[in-house]
Amino acid sequence: MPNSIREQILQAAVSRIAASLAPLGAEVHRSPTVALTREQAPAVVVFPESDEVIDRPNDRVERELVIRVVALARAVPPAAPETEADALLVAAHAALMDDPGLNGLALAVLELDCEWEVEDADSVVAAIPARYAIRYRTRAHDLTQRG
């Protein structure tokens, strides 16, 4: 059975982000079930957060998939890990916004918010999470068909 449009969007987003990180020597991880190790940084982690029905025009369903993109970096002082994490997030953001239709799968990619998480106990690690809403349509009766 084919994948849902939601899954296809997630795969496209992860693929785009991965391509943008290659020149920076970083990898992308999708929904890891265990924390990444220090050795795996720099990296970007992508988590699907929610998928909500926005509208039901006729036999179509407009949906909004929210993903969280977390840039993780570590640095040896005097370098700042926040600076490296910011560069990763800039690359991931550009990859998502370059084609907000994600090859025709989505209606739009919308930036929602960004936070800064500094680990008090670890001054050489930084995480910058950003959230994006991806709007798309499916058929009401079939999640694998674009609407």
Side-chain angles (χ1 to χ4, degrees), residues 2 14 30 59 62 64 77 89 95 99 112 116 125 131 144 146:
V14 168
R30 179 177 165 190
D59 65 341
E62 187 169 326
E64 185 172 270
L89 193 56
D99 174 15
L112 296 178
W116 285 263
V125 176
R131 293 181 333 122
T144 67
R146 287 183 261 179

Side-chain angles (χ1 to χ4, degrees), residues 57-74:
N58 302 321
D59 65 341
R60 312 288 195 253
V61 178
E62 187 169 326
R63 302 170 184 275
E64 185 172 270
L65 171 65
V66 175
I67 63 171
R68 184 167 32 109
V69 177
V70 183
L72 301 167
R74 64 186 175 108

Side-chain angles (χ1 to χ4, degrees), residues 13 18 25-26 33 57 61-62 68 73 75 107 110-111 113-114 118 134 146:
T33 56
V61 178
E62 187 169 326
R68 184 167 32 109
L107 301 171
L110 308 166
E111 182 180 16
D113 55 28
C114 182
V118 178
I134 303 171
R146 287 183 261 179

